[in-house]
Amino acid sequence: MKAEIISIGSELTSGKNLDTNSQWLSIQLAAMGIPVGWHTTIADDFDANLQAFDIASQRAGLVIASGGLGPTQDDLTREVLAKLINQPLEFHQPSWDTIVEMFTKRNRACPDRNKVQAFFPKGAEPIPNESGTAPGIWMKAKQSYIAALPGVPREMKSMFEAWLKTRLIELGLAQGVLIQRKINTFGLGESAIEEKLFDITKRGNDPEVGITASDAVISLRILASADNEAAAFKKIAPAEAIIRERLGELVFGVEEEELQDVVHQMLQKAGKTIATAESITGGVLASKFTKVPGASARYLGGFVTYTNDVKKSALGVPAELLEQFGACSKEVTLAMAEGCRERTGADFALATTGVAGPGGLSPDLPEGKVFVALAWKGGAHSETNQWFGNRNEVQSRTAKMALNILRLHLLKEAKHG
Amino acid sequence: MKAEIISIGSELTSGKNLDTNSQWLSIQLAAMGIPVGWHTTIADDFDANLQAFDIASQRAGLVIASGGLGPTQDDLTREVLAKLINQPLEFHQPSWDTIVEMFTKRNRACPDRNKVQAFFPKGAEPIPNESGTAPGIWMKAKQSYIAALPGVPREMKSMFEAWLKTRLIELGLAQGVLIQRKINTFGLGESAIEEKLFDITKRGNDPEVGITASDAVISLRILASADNEAAAFKKIAPAEAIIRERLGELVFGVEEEELQDVVHQMLQKAGKTIATAESITGGVLASKFTKVPGASARYLGGFVTYTNDVKKSALGVPAELLEQFGACSKEVTLAMAEGCRERTGADFALATTGVAGPGGLSPDLPEGKVFVALAWKGGAHSETNQWFGNRNEVQSRTAKMALNILRLHLLKEAKHG
C-alpha cells in the first residue's frame, strides 16, 4: 500500500508559494512505515481537482490532501470530493456550532460565507480542527481512504497529529517504521562510489541503498522498513558494515555531520590547534571552521592573502618563490602553510591557492585548478586538483578538500602515534 | 495550453529532500505567459514514471521533467520516455563524445557506466548540458512537447535558460509576459518596511508588490503582467519610483544583486581597496568579498583573528586595550580595523567582533551582540547591534552589516567628495 499527497492551490502551481506540506506529510508517513509514491499539486480548478482525486483513489491506498477547504469561491475540495463519490453535500450542525463558537471566542461575528465549511459529502466524517475554522474531511473512495486537510501548515500539522495519525494506526495502515541511516563520504565521485557498491545499491534490495551528491560530498542513504526500530537497525547494520569496509577512509561521518564537525572533534581529541592561509577559498575555509560551535578552542585564526604583497607581508612568503613559481603553485602554497603555522603558533596550518574563475590564467592554470597544502611541526604535504563547477563551487569544494587532507592526516597520526 | 512539471526521485516522495525545481520552473513559465496546471512528483519506479508521463502527455501541452537522467541504476527517465512513445533507445555518438571530453578535461577516466547517458529515445533531440554529464531530452508525445532535464538545480536551470526557453519561444508557446522587478534593501525589518509602503503592498493592486525577507535583506517584488515587456515595465516604473523615494538609502540593489556586488562596484568606481579583520564573522565577511568575480582588484586580503594572541601579532592590537575593554568591544574592533588598514595598505578596513553563540559571555555581552568598525585614512567609525538568530545567522548578518556600513560611507564620500 502506497500513499499519495495532493496539494491544492493556484499559488502553488504558479510558483508564487513553495509547497512544503507534501514533504512534511511524507516524512510523517515514512516514520509510520507508510511509503509515499506520489505528490500531486493542482491549481484551484474543479476538473483538474476531480481528475487528480480520481487517479489517486485508484492507485493509492491512502490519499492525504491539503488546501481548498477555506470559505471562499476558489475553495473546491468539498464539492470535488462529493462529486468523486457521487454523493450530495450535507449540512453538519455540530461542525457549524464549532465554527460559530470559534468566531464568538474571538469577539467576531461569524460571516455567513463560512457556513459552506460545515457541509460534507454524504457519508464522510469531519476531522476536527482546533486551530482554525475549516474542519477536515475523512472518507473512502474506490480503493482508498481520503483525508482532506486545510492548506495552512500549522492547522494541517496539528490535525494530522491530533486525529489522522491515530486513525491510520487504528486502521492498521501503519506498517512499522521506516528508518534512514546516512553515511557521508568525500574523495570520490558519485559513479566511482557506486562502482564499489554496485551490488548493494541495486534496485529492489532490502534495505534499499541510495546515493546522493551534494557539492562533492557523496552520501549513502540506507533505508530500512521493519516492524520496529530495533528490527530496522538490525537490517541497516550489515549494509553499513559493507559500505564502511569497502569505502574505508572515504567515509567521514554520518547523518548531518559535515567535514568541519569531524575535523573539529579530531583536533579536540588530539589537543591540537589549526590556522588557515587562504587565497582561492578567500575566507570560505575559515568560515567552515568557525561555523562549528566552540570553534575558538581549536581554530586560532587565519589569513586571506589575495595579493602577492599580503602573501609576503602577512605570511612571509619569499618574493623569489612568487616570481619563480607564481602565486598559484605547489611551492607558494606550501610556503603559505608554513608561514601561517609559524606566525600563529598553531599545530597545523592549511593553505589554498588556485583559479576560481570565471576564466583560467594559462593553459597550465585553467579555471578550477587548485593547490592545497598542510604544514605541521617537521613536515608538510600538498595536493592539487582540477574542479569543474562555478566560482562558488570551486571555492567550497577546495575548502572541503583542505578539511579532508587534514582529516586524513589526523587519522594517520592517531593510528601511528 | 497548460504545462505540467514532473519531478522524479524517491528522495522527494520520501520527504528526504524538498522539491524546489517545480517552483522555479513555474515561475519561469509564468514569466513567459505559460500557465502551469500540475506538479507531479514520483518515486524512482518505472511503472509510476510511465503512468505519470502518460497522464501528463494527455492533459498538458508542455511537460517539463527533472531528475532520473544520472548514470546510476535508479535513473529511469530515458527508458520511460522510450517506452512512452514505443521507440528503442539509440546511441548518440556526439553526446558520448561530449561526456568523455567532460571527464578528460578533469583528468579523470570516464566510467563506462556513464555511457547510458548518451542513449536517447529514437526521434528525440538531446538538450545540451554545459555544466554536467547528463544531456536532456526533447521530444513530442501525444498532445504534448516533453523536455526532460537533470534534477541538479544548477544544471536544470542553466539548460532551461540556455536552450529550452528559446525553443518554447520559437514554437510560439509563450503567451504575453509576467515580469518581476526585485528591489533589495538592508537596514530595517520586514514590518518596518511594510509600514512605509502599506498602500502599495495592498492585495489586489496592479502591479502587485510583495515583501520577502532573506537573512536580514528585505526585498520588494513588483509583479506586472502585460502583453509585452515594454507594457509590463511601464506598470512597474511608478511603483519602483515610490519605493525608492520612500526608502532612500535603504535600497542597495536590484534583482540578484547582493551587498558585496554593490560594494565591489562602488570600490571599483572610486578606485579604492579594502581589507578585513574578522573575529565573530570568522571568514564569512572575507568570503562575501571573494565571492564576487574579479574580487582581487579591490579586495587585498584579510585576517581571521580568533584568539587575542593573533589579534596582537597579526593586527598589532595593543595588549592593554584587550585587557581594559575585552576582545568584544568598540575599542578593540576599531583597533583591529586600524591595524588591518596599516598592515595591508588598503584604503579601507572593516573589523568585526561579538558573540556568535550559542550562549552569551556576560549580561553586557549576550548572544548576538556585535561590533563592527570601519577605518579609512584619517578616520574611523563603529557601530554595534544585537541580533536574534542562530550562530550562522549572527555571522552572516554581521558580515552584511559590515558591508552596509562601507556602502553608506562610500555613498557619502561620492556625494561630498
Side-chain angles (χ1 to χ4, degrees), chain A residues 132-162:
Chain A
T133 59
I137 299 171
W138 173 259
M139 57 182 245
K140 189 131 204 224
K142 299 206 175 77
Q143 305 307 314
S144 82
Y145 291 102
I146 297 183
L149 303 172
V152 180
R154 188 172 50 85
E155 298 180 23
M156 181 278 289
K157 290 177 185 177
S158 77
M159 289 163 80
F160 180 89
E161 279 167 349

PDB file of all heavy atoms in Angstrom, chain A residues 132-162:
ATOM      1  N   GLY A 132      -8.328  26.401  13.646  1.00  0.00           N
ATOM      2  CA  GLY A 132      -8.809  27.200  12.526  1.00  0.00           C
ATOM      3  C   GLY A 132     -10.279  26.909  12.302  1.00  0.00           C
ATOM      4  O   GLY A 132     -10.881  26.102  13.017  1.00  0.00           O
ATOM      5  N   THR A 133     -10.871  27.548  11.279  1.00  0.00           N
ATOM      6  CA  THR A 133     -12.313  27.356  11.091  1.00  0.00           C
ATOM      7  C   THR A 133     -12.660  26.151  10.231  1.00  0.00           C
ATOM      8  O   THR A 133     -13.756  25.628  10.318  1.00  0.00           O
ATOM      9  CB  THR A 133     -12.943  28.607  10.433  1.00  0.00           C
ATOM     10  OG1 THR A 133     -12.310  28.820   9.177  1.00  0.00           O
ATOM     11  CG2 THR A 133     -12.773  29.828  11.320  1.00  0.00           C
ATOM     12  N   ALA A 134     -11.729  25.697   9.397  1.00  0.00           N
ATOM     13  CA  ALA A 134     -12.078  24.647   8.447  1.00  0.00           C
ATOM     14  C   ALA A 134     -11.892  23.248   9.020  1.00  0.00           C
ATOM     15  O   ALA A 134     -10.764  22.816   9.257  1.00  0.00           O
ATOM     16  CB  ALA A 134     -11.219  24.790   7.192  1.00  0.00           C
ATOM     17  N   PRO A 135     -12.995  22.494   9.226  1.00  0.00           N
ATOM     18  CA  PRO A 135     -12.818  21.091   9.605  1.00  0.00           C
ATOM     19  C   PRO A 135     -12.302  20.318   8.393  1.00  0.00           C
ATOM     20  O   PRO A 135     -12.486  20.743   7.256  1.00  0.00           O
ATOM     21  CB  PRO A 135     -14.221  20.622   9.989  1.00  0.00           C
ATOM     22  CG  PRO A 135     -15.165  21.661   9.520  1.00  0.00           C
ATOM     23  CD  PRO A 135     -14.403  22.865   9.071  1.00  0.00           C
ATOM     24  N   GLY A 136     -11.631  19.188   8.635  1.00  0.00           N
ATOM     25  CA  GLY A 136     -11.183  18.348   7.538  1.00  0.00           C
ATOM     26  C   GLY A 136     -12.253  17.335   7.161  1.00  0.00           C
ATOM     27  O   GLY A 136     -13.330  17.289   7.756  1.00  0.00           O
ATOM     28  N   ILE A 137     -11.941  16.524   6.146  1.00  0.00           N
ATOM     29  CA  ILE A 137     -12.911  15.531   5.658  1.00  0.00           C
ATOM     30  C   ILE A 137     -12.226  14.170   5.597  1.00  0.00           C
ATOM     31  O   ILE A 137     -11.121  14.044   5.066  1.00  0.00           O
ATOM     32  CB  ILE A 137     -13.401  15.915   4.234  1.00  0.00           C
ATOM     33  CG1 ILE A 137     -14.105  17.279   4.275  1.00  0.00           C
ATOM     34  CG2 ILE A 137     -14.323  14.834   3.682  1.00  0.00           C
ATOM     35  CD1 ILE A 137     -14.425  17.839   2.895  1.00  0.00           C
ATOM     36  N   TRP A 138     -12.892  13.152   6.141  1.00  0.00           N
ATOM     37  CA  TRP A 138     -12.373  11.787   6.080  1.00  0.00           C
ATOM     38  C   TRP A 138     -13.400  10.925   5.372  1.00  0.00           C
ATOM     39  O   TRP A 138     -14.571  10.918   5.729  1.00  0.00           O
ATOM     40  CB  TRP A 138     -12.126  11.256   7.503  1.00  0.00           C
ATOM     41  CG  TRP A 138     -11.749   9.800   7.529  1.00  0.00           C
ATOM     42  CD1 TRP A 138     -12.565   8.744   7.830  1.00  0.00           C
ATOM     43  CD2 TRP A 138     -10.465   9.234   7.245  1.00  0.00           C
ATOM     44  NE1 TRP A 138     -11.890   7.562   7.752  1.00  0.00           N
ATOM     45  CE2 TRP A 138     -10.595   7.828   7.380  1.00  0.00           C
ATOM     46  CE3 TRP A 138      -9.236   9.758   6.867  1.00  0.00           C
ATOM     47  CZ2 TRP A 138      -9.518   6.951   7.178  1.00  0.00           C
ATOM     48  CZ3 TRP A 138      -8.172   8.884   6.661  1.00  0.00           C
ATOM     49  CH2 TRP A 138      -8.321   7.500   6.818  1.00  0.00           C
ATOM     50  N   MET A 139     -13.003  10.192   4.362  1.00  0.00           N
ATOM     51  CA  MET A 139     -13.961   9.351   3.641  1.00  0.00           C
ATOM     52  C   MET A 139     -13.244   8.247   2.872  1.00  0.00           C
ATOM     53  O   MET A 139     -12.022   8.168   2.839  1.00  0.00           O
ATOM     54  CB  MET A 139     -14.796  10.197   2.666  1.00  0.00           C
ATOM     55  CG  MET A 139     -13.958  10.982   1.658  1.00  0.00           C
ATOM     56  SD  MET A 139     -14.988  11.988   0.573  1.00  0.00           S
ATOM     57  CE  MET A 139     -14.659  11.172  -1.001  1.00  0.00           C
ATOM     58  N   LYS A 140     -14.025   7.374   2.277  1.00  0.00           N
ATOM     59  CA  LYS A 140     -13.463   6.306   1.475  1.00  0.00           C
ATOM     60  C   LYS A 140     -13.936   6.487   0.036  1.00  0.00           C
ATOM     61  O   LYS A 140     -15.088   6.854  -0.202  1.00  0.00           O
ATOM     62  CB  LYS A 140     -13.936   4.957   2.042  1.00  0.00           C
ATOM     63  CG  LYS A 140     -13.242   3.782   1.432  1.00  0.00           C
ATOM     64  CD  LYS A 140     -12.671   2.748   2.373  1.00  0.00           C
ATOM     65  CE  LYS A 140     -11.558   2.071   1.578  1.00  0.00           C
ATOM     66  NZ  LYS A 140     -11.449   0.664   1.640  1.00  0.00           N
ATOM     67  N   ALA A 141     -13.058   6.299  -0.930  1.00  0.00           N
ATOM     68  CA  ALA A 141     -13.448   6.369  -2.345  1.00  0.00           C
ATOM     69  C   ALA A 141     -12.652   5.326  -3.092  1.00  0.00           C
ATOM     70  O   ALA A 141     -11.433   5.269  -2.984  1.00  0.00           O
ATOM     71  CB  ALA A 141     -13.178   7.747  -2.921  1.00  0.00           C
ATOM     72  N   LYS A 142     -13.380   4.489  -3.872  1.00  0.00           N
ATOM     73  CA  LYS A 142     -12.721   3.405  -4.612  1.00  0.00           C
ATOM     74  C   LYS A 142     -11.777   2.610  -3.708  1.00  0.00           C
ATOM     75  O   LYS A 142     -12.175   2.104  -2.667  1.00  0.00           O
ATOM     76  CB  LYS A 142     -11.971   3.974  -5.822  1.00  0.00           C
ATOM     77  CG  LYS A 142     -12.900   4.676  -6.802  1.00  0.00           C
ATOM     78  CD  LYS A 142     -12.328   4.664  -8.205  1.00  0.00           C
ATOM     79  CE  LYS A 142     -13.324   5.268  -9.171  1.00  0.00           C
ATOM     80  NZ  LYS A 142     -13.377   6.752  -9.096  1.00  0.00           N
ATOM     81  N   GLN A 143     -10.498   2.523  -4.113  1.00  0.00           N
ATOM     82  CA  GLN A 143      -9.528   1.702  -3.385  1.00  0.00           C
ATOM     83  C   GLN A 143      -9.014   2.347  -2.124  1.00  0.00           C
ATOM     84  O   GLN A 143      -8.248   1.744  -1.390  1.00  0.00           O
ATOM     85  CB  GLN A 143      -8.300   1.441  -4.276  1.00  0.00           C
ATOM     86  CG  GLN A 143      -8.619   0.829  -5.599  1.00  0.00           C
ATOM     87  CD  GLN A 143      -9.444  -0.429  -5.442  1.00  0.00           C
ATOM     88  OE1 GLN A 143      -9.154  -1.293  -4.619  1.00  0.00           O
ATOM     89  NE2 GLN A 143     -10.521  -0.521  -6.201  1.00  0.00           N
ATOM     90  N   SER A 144      -9.356   3.628  -1.905  1.00  0.00           N
ATOM     91  CA  SER A 144      -8.511   4.314  -0.937  1.00  0.00           C
ATOM     92  C   SER A 144      -9.242   5.146   0.099  1.00  0.00           C
ATOM     93  O   SER A 144     -10.381   5.572  -0.094  1.00  0.00           O
ATOM     94  CB  SER A 144      -7.500   5.171  -1.695  1.00  0.00           C
ATOM     95  OG  SER A 144      -8.074   6.376  -2.079  1.00  0.00           O
ATOM     96  N   TYR A 145      -8.564   5.330   1.231  1.00  0.00           N
ATOM     97  CA  TYR A 145      -9.017   6.267   2.244  1.00  0.00           C
ATOM     98  C   TYR A 145      -8.558   7.654   1.824  1.00  0.00           C
ATOM     99  O   TYR A 145      -7.438   7.812   1.321  1.00  0.00           O
ATOM    100  CB  TYR A 145      -8.384   5.942   3.595  1.00  0.00           C
ATOM    101  CG  TYR A 145      -8.884   4.646   4.185  1.00  0.00           C
ATOM    102  CD1 TYR A 145      -8.125   3.471   4.119  1.00  0.00           C
ATOM    103  CD2 TYR A 145     -10.129   4.596   4.813  1.00  0.00           C
ATOM    104  CE1 TYR A 145      -8.591   2.281   4.655  1.00  0.00           C
ATOM    105  CE2 TYR A 145     -10.610   3.407   5.360  1.00  0.00           C
ATOM    106  CZ  TYR A 145      -9.831   2.258   5.274  1.00  0.00           C
ATOM    107  OH  TYR A 145     -10.299   1.087   5.807  1.00  0.00           O
ATOM    108  N   ILE A 146      -9.424   8.646   2.040  1.00  0.00           N
ATOM    109  CA  ILE A 146      -9.052  10.017   1.686  1.00  0.00           C
ATOM    110  C   ILE A 146      -9.183  10.924   2.902  1.00  0.00           C
ATOM    111  O   ILE A 146     -10.208  10.901   3.594  1.00  0.00           O
ATOM    112  CB  ILE A 146      -9.947  10.566   0.557  1.00  0.00           C
ATOM    113  CG1 ILE A 146      -9.750   9.723  -0.707  1.00  0.00           C
ATOM    114  CG2 ILE A 146      -9.641  12.039   0.274  1.00  0.00           C
ATOM    115  CD1 ILE A 146     -10.525  10.216  -1.905  1.00  0.00           C
ATOM    116  N   ALA A 147      -8.137  11.679   3.190  1.00  0.00           N
ATOM    117  CA  ALA A 147      -8.204  12.697   4.230  1.00  0.00           C
ATOM    118  C   ALA A 147      -7.928  14.037   3.574  1.00  0.00           C
ATOM    119  O   ALA A 147      -6.920  14.202   2.899  1.00  0.00           O
ATOM    120  CB  ALA A 147      -7.169  12.424   5.313  1.00  0.00           C
ATOM    121  N   ALA A 148      -8.862  14.992   3.751  1.00  0.00           N
ATOM    122  CA  ALA A 148      -8.638  16.345   3.225  1.00  0.00           C
ATOM    123  C   ALA A 148      -8.428  17.278   4.406  1.00  0.00           C
ATOM    124  O   ALA A 148      -9.250  17.329   5.322  1.00  0.00           O
ATOM    125  CB  ALA A 148      -9.830  16.789   2.384  1.00  0.00           C
ATOM    126  N   LEU A 149      -7.294  17.980   4.390  1.00  0.00           N
ATOM    127  CA  LEU A 149      -6.920  18.875   5.486  1.00  0.00           C
ATOM    128  C   LEU A 149      -6.764  20.295   4.932  1.00  0.00           C
ATOM    129  O   LEU A 149      -6.593  20.468   3.732  1.00  0.00           O
ATOM    130  CB  LEU A 149      -5.599  18.412   6.122  1.00  0.00           C
ATOM    131  CG  LEU A 149      -5.560  16.970   6.652  1.00  0.00           C
ATOM    132  CD1 LEU A 149      -4.139  16.589   7.065  1.00  0.00           C
ATOM    133  CD2 LEU A 149      -6.522  16.807   7.830  1.00  0.00           C
ATOM    134  N   PRO A 150      -6.789  21.307   5.806  1.00  0.00           N
ATOM    135  CA  PRO A 150      -6.573  22.674   5.307  1.00  0.00           C
ATOM    136  C   PRO A 150      -5.140  22.852   4.798  1.00  0.00           C
ATOM    137  O   PRO A 150      -4.245  22.086   5.167  1.00  0.00           O
ATOM    138  CB  PRO A 150      -6.788  23.553   6.552  1.00  0.00           C
ATOM    139  CG  PRO A 150      -7.392  22.667   7.586  1.00  0.00           C
ATOM    140  CD  PRO A 150      -6.994  21.273   7.257  1.00  0.00           C
ATOM    141  N   GLY A 151      -4.914  23.874   3.985  1.00  0.00           N
ATOM    142  CA  GLY A 151      -3.586  24.116   3.428  1.00  0.00           C
ATOM    143  C   GLY A 151      -2.649  24.851   4.382  1.00  0.00           C
ATOM    144  O   GLY A 151      -1.429  24.768   4.230  1.00  0.00           O
ATOM    145  N   VAL A 152      -3.209  25.567   5.353  1.00  0.00           N
ATOM    146  CA  VAL A 152      -2.361  26.301   6.312  1.00  0.00           C
ATOM    147  C   VAL A 152      -1.509  25.286   7.086  1.00  0.00           C
ATOM    148  O   VAL A 152      -2.043  24.425   7.777  1.00  0.00           O
ATOM    149  CB  VAL A 152      -3.233  27.096   7.316  1.00  0.00           C
ATOM    150  CG1 VAL A 152      -2.361  27.855   8.312  1.00  0.00           C
ATOM    151  CG2 VAL A 152      -4.168  28.030   6.568  1.00  0.00           C
ATOM    152  N   PRO A 153      -0.180  25.368   6.963  1.00  0.00           N
ATOM    153  CA  PRO A 153       0.675  24.320   7.541  1.00  0.00           C
ATOM    154  C   PRO A 153       0.397  24.061   9.024  1.00  0.00           C
ATOM    155  O   PRO A 153       0.343  22.910   9.451  1.00  0.00           O
ATOM    156  CB  PRO A 153       2.097  24.857   7.317  1.00  0.00           C
ATOM    157  CG  PRO A 153       1.983  25.713   6.102  1.00  0.00           C
ATOM    158  CD  PRO A 153       0.627  26.347   6.189  1.00  0.00           C
ATOM    159  N   ARG A 154       0.206  25.109   9.807  1.00  0.00           N
ATOM    160  CA  ARG A 154       0.008  24.922  11.236  1.00  0.00           C
ATOM    161  C   ARG A 154      -1.250  24.082  11.520  1.00  0.00           C
ATOM    162  O   ARG A 154      -1.230  23.158  12.323  1.00  0.00           O
ATOM    163  CB  ARG A 154      -0.106  26.293  11.917  1.00  0.00           C
ATOM    164  CG  ARG A 154      -0.135  26.274  13.422  1.00  0.00           C
ATOM    165  CD  ARG A 154      -0.061  27.706  13.964  1.00  0.00           C
ATOM    166  NE  ARG A 154      -1.041  28.592  13.321  1.00  0.00           N
ATOM    167  CZ  ARG A 154      -2.314  28.718  13.702  1.00  0.00           C
ATOM    168  NH1 ARG A 154      -2.776  28.035  14.739  1.00  0.00           N
ATOM    169  NH2 ARG A 154      -3.136  29.530  13.063  1.00  0.00           N
ATOM    170  N   GLU A 155      -2.354  24.403  10.822  1.00  0.00           N
ATOM    171  CA  GLU A 155      -3.597  23.653  11.033  1.00  0.00           C
ATOM    172  C   GLU A 155      -3.458  22.225  10.512  1.00  0.00           C
ATOM    173  O   GLU A 155      -3.854  21.267  11.181  1.00  0.00           O
ATOM    174  CB  GLU A 155      -4.764  24.361  10.325  1.00  0.00           C
ATOM    175  CG  GLU A 155      -5.015  25.753  10.854  1.00  0.00           C
ATOM    176  CD  GLU A 155      -6.183  26.458  10.135  1.00  0.00           C
ATOM    177  OE1 GLU A 155      -7.050  25.779   9.561  1.00  0.00           O
ATOM    178  OE2 GLU A 155      -6.194  27.706  10.146  1.00  0.00           O
ATOM    179  N   MET A 156      -2.882  22.099   9.331  1.00  0.00           N
ATOM    180  CA  MET A 156      -2.698  20.782   8.720  1.00  0.00           C
ATOM    181  C   MET A 156      -1.906  19.868   9.657  1.00  0.00           C
ATOM    182  O   MET A 156      -2.285  18.723   9.918  1.00  0.00           O
ATOM    183  CB  MET A 156      -1.993  20.970   7.370  1.00  0.00           C
ATOM    184  CG  MET A 156      -1.738  19.730   6.568  1.00  0.00           C
ATOM    185  SD  MET A 156      -0.255  18.834   7.068  1.00  0.00           S
ATOM    186  CE  MET A 156       1.041  19.924   6.496  1.00  0.00           C
ATOM    187  N   LYS A 157      -0.799  20.404  10.186  1.00  0.00           N
ATOM    188  CA  LYS A 157       0.070  19.595  11.040  1.00  0.00           C
ATOM    189  C   LYS A 157      -0.634  19.189  12.335  1.00  0.00           C
ATOM    190  O   LYS A 157      -0.551  18.033  12.761  1.00  0.00           O
ATOM    191  CB  LYS A 157       1.352  20.370  11.376  1.00  0.00           C
ATOM    192  CG  LYS A 157       2.268  20.539  10.184  1.00  0.00           C
ATOM    193  CD  LYS A 157       3.494  21.379  10.534  1.00  0.00           C
ATOM    194  CE  LYS A 157       4.317  21.618   9.261  1.00  0.00           C
ATOM    195  NZ  LYS A 157       5.485  22.472   9.508  1.00  0.00           N
ATOM    196  N   SER A 158      -1.351  20.128  12.960  1.00  0.00           N
ATOM    197  CA  SER A 158      -1.958  19.766  14.244  1.00  0.00           C
ATOM    198  C   SER A 158      -3.098  18.768  14.033  1.00  0.00           C
ATOM    199  O   SER A 158      -3.326  17.895  14.860  1.00  0.00           O
ATOM    200  CB  SER A 158      -2.380  21.010  15.027  1.00  0.00           C
ATOM    201  OG  SER A 158      -3.567  21.523  14.504  1.00  0.00           O
ATOM    202  N   MET A 159      -3.801  18.856  12.911  1.00  0.00           N
ATOM    203  CA  MET A 159      -4.869  17.888  12.642  1.00  0.00           C
ATOM    204  C   MET A 159      -4.301  16.508  12.327  1.00  0.00           C
ATOM    205  O   MET A 159      -4.877  15.489  12.696  1.00  0.00           O
ATOM    206  CB  MET A 159      -5.755  18.380  11.506  1.00  0.00           C
ATOM    207  CG  MET A 159      -6.612  19.571  11.923  1.00  0.00           C
ATOM    208  SD  MET A 159      -7.278  20.477  10.525  1.00  0.00           S
ATOM    209  CE  MET A 159      -8.684  19.434  10.094  1.00  0.00           C
ATOM    210  N   PHE A 160      -3.167  16.487  11.638  1.00  0.00           N
ATOM    211  CA  PHE A 160      -2.529  15.192  11.373  1.00  0.00           C
ATOM    212  C   PHE A 160      -2.141  14.532  12.683  1.00  0.00           C
ATOM    213  O   PHE A 160      -2.431  13.354  12.919  1.00  0.00           O
ATOM    214  CB  PHE A 160      -1.281  15.370  10.494  1.00  0.00           C
ATOM    215  CG  PHE A 160      -0.583  14.074  10.187  1.00  0.00           C
ATOM    216  CD1 PHE A 160      -0.935  13.324   9.083  1.00  0.00           C
ATOM    217  CD2 PHE A 160       0.403  13.576  11.040  1.00  0.00           C
ATOM    218  CE1 PHE A 160      -0.317  12.102   8.807  1.00  0.00           C
ATOM    219  CE2 PHE A 160       1.020  12.359  10.777  1.00  0.00           C
ATOM    220  CZ  PHE A 160       0.660  11.616   9.657  1.00  0.00           C
ATOM    221  N   GLU A 161      -1.511  15.334  13.545  1.00  0.00           N
ATOM    222  CA  GLU A 161      -1.001  14.754  14.791  1.00  0.00           C
ATOM    223  C   GLU A 161      -2.096  14.419  15.786  1.00  0.00           C
ATOM    224  O   GLU A 161      -2.032  13.409  16.486  1.00  0.00           O
ATOM    225  CB  GLU A 161       0.041  15.692  15.412  1.00  0.00           C
ATOM    226  CG  GLU A 161       1.378  15.492  14.722  1.00  0.00           C
ATOM    227  CD  GLU A 161       2.401  16.562  15.022  1.00  0.00           C
ATOM    228  OE1 GLU A 161       2.043  17.604  15.600  1.00  0.00           O
ATOM    229  OE2 GLU A 161       3.579  16.339  14.664  1.00  0.00           O
ATOM    230  N   ALA A 162      -3.140  15.264  15.853  1.00  0.00           N
ATOM    231  CA  ALA A 162      -4.175  15.064  16.863  1.00  0.00           C
ATOM    232  C   ALA A 162      -5.215  14.029  16.439  1.00  0.00           C
ATOM    233  O   ALA A 162      -5.873  13.419  17.287  1.00  0.00           O
ATOM    234  CB  ALA A 162      -4.854  16.398  17.176  1.00  0.00           C
TER     235      ALA A 162
END
